[in-house]
Amino acid sequence: MVLPEGLAIPPLPYAIGLVVGVIGVVGLVYLLRPPVTNWTVVALSPWMAIGGVLHGLERLGTFPGAVEPLFGAPAVYATMAIVTGLAWAFAGVSAEIRTHGSTDRTLGTIGTAVLITFAVFSVYQGINNGTLSPFWPVIAIVVSGVVTAVAWLFVSLAFTESASVTGATGVVVIAAHAIDGVSTAIGYDVIAGVAERTPLSRLILEAGAALPTAELLGAGWLFVFVKLFIAGAVVVLFREYVEEEPTQGRLILALVAAVGLGPGIQNLLVFAIGGL
């Protein structure tokens, strides 16, 4: 009910390589133990978005067969864990040997540069194929920004201590799921040829379509509300855990953000260059 349709374990050699790679990079990061702050989660967010872009390109058949299994679902999560872990380790070592080095700044800068590179490549693909259509993705980003601001304002006023403790991490969590929720809603309500692949999400969208508000507001608003409610609840409930175990708490919240931001960015890319 909660896993999307189309999940497929990659061929055995790829699966073994990914498992070994994840174990190795987790061990490397554990040995280096880079500091984990609220800004670390912000620095990790471009890498979450890169995963969404890569999976979106895989869905559109962009990659050659030799590497395509690395970017399918769920393999793309392992692939990005390896790449992000290596980048994080490099950023940590770089910060140690530089006088005014910052692990978070280096990690975020590299991730942003890589994300921009793939974004430019994706736009080129859309132009080259004659399928570039940025209108609804731009609308989705703007609306996501607005609903993130409203949701964070509510959390800040109603649960001030939780907002203070989670800080930028909480904003990333809510923004990630706002992007996923809004992009999914727009795809379901507006863009022809888009189908929701996760059964539970599809049930929520169908419930929204059955409400009297569907004719005026569409069906997707309920999905956006549910996503934001869950994301906000996680931020509020994790306050004590982040206070007591800041490293583990922030890393878990980063994972929560990743499962929203990755699919959300994937939606935007498919809408923009998929010819839908």
Side-chain angles (χ1 to χ4, degrees), residues 140-229:
I141 291 172
V142 172
V143 174
S144 297
V146 173
V147 298
T148 297
V150 172
W152 185 249
L153 178 63
F154 173 79
V155 171
S156 299
L157 294 176
F159 305 96
T160 304
E161 192 172 354
S162 294
S164 177
V165 169
T166 58
T169 298
V171 175
V172 170
V173 171
I174 290 177
H177 287 275
I179 292 172
D180 186 24
V182 170
S183 62
T184 299
I186 287 177
Y188 188 84
D189 282 334
V190 179
I191 302 177
V194 174
E196 175 54 42
R197 299 191 297 167
T198 305
L200 181 58
S201 299
R202 190 161 56 240
L203 283 176
I204 297 172
L205 290 165
E206 290 171 355
L211 294 174
T213 55
E215 189 172 332
L216 179 63
L217 301 177
W221 73 266
L222 180 63
F223 184 75
V224 176
F225 176 80
V226 170
K227 291 282 288 185
L228 290 174
F229 178 83

Side-chain angles (χ1 to χ4, degrees), residues 47-204:
W47 297 96
M48 305 174 197
I50 291 167
V53 171
L54 292 175
H55 184 48
L57 290 172
E58 184 271 339
R59 285 183 59 193
L60 296 173
T62 304
F63 298 112
V67 299
E68 188 176 29
L70 296 175
F71 306 115
V76 67
Y77 289 103
T79 301
M80 287 311 303
I82 295 169
V83 174
T84 304
L86 291 174
W88 197 5
F90 170 80
V93 172
S94 175
E96 288 293 327
I97 63 178
R98 293 168 57 196
T99 305
H100 301 291
S102 166
T103 300
D104 295 343
R105 184 169 61 247
T106 302
L107 179 63
T109 300
I110 295 172
T112 301
V114 175
L115 177 60
I116 290 173
T117 301
F118 278 113
V120 171
F121 171 75
S122 300
V123 170
Y124 169 78
Q125 286 287 98
I127 294 173
N128 190 49
N129 297 334
T131 57
L132 184 65
S133 180
F135 178 77
W136 285 114
V138 170
I139 294 297
I141 291 172
V142 172
V143 174
S144 297
V146 173
V147 298
T148 297
V150 172
W152 185 249
L153 178 63
F154 173 79
V155 171
S156 299
L157 294 176
F159 305 96
T160 304
E161 192 172 354
S162 294
S164 177
V165 169
T166 58
T169 298
V171 175
V172 170
V173 171
I174 290 177
H177 287 275
I179 292 172
D180 186 24
V182 170
S183 62
T184 299
I186 287 177
Y188 188 84
D189 282 334
V190 179
I191 302 177
V194 174
E196 175 54 42
R197 299 191 297 167
T198 305
L200 181 58
S201 299
R202 190 161 56 240
L203 283 176
I204 297 172

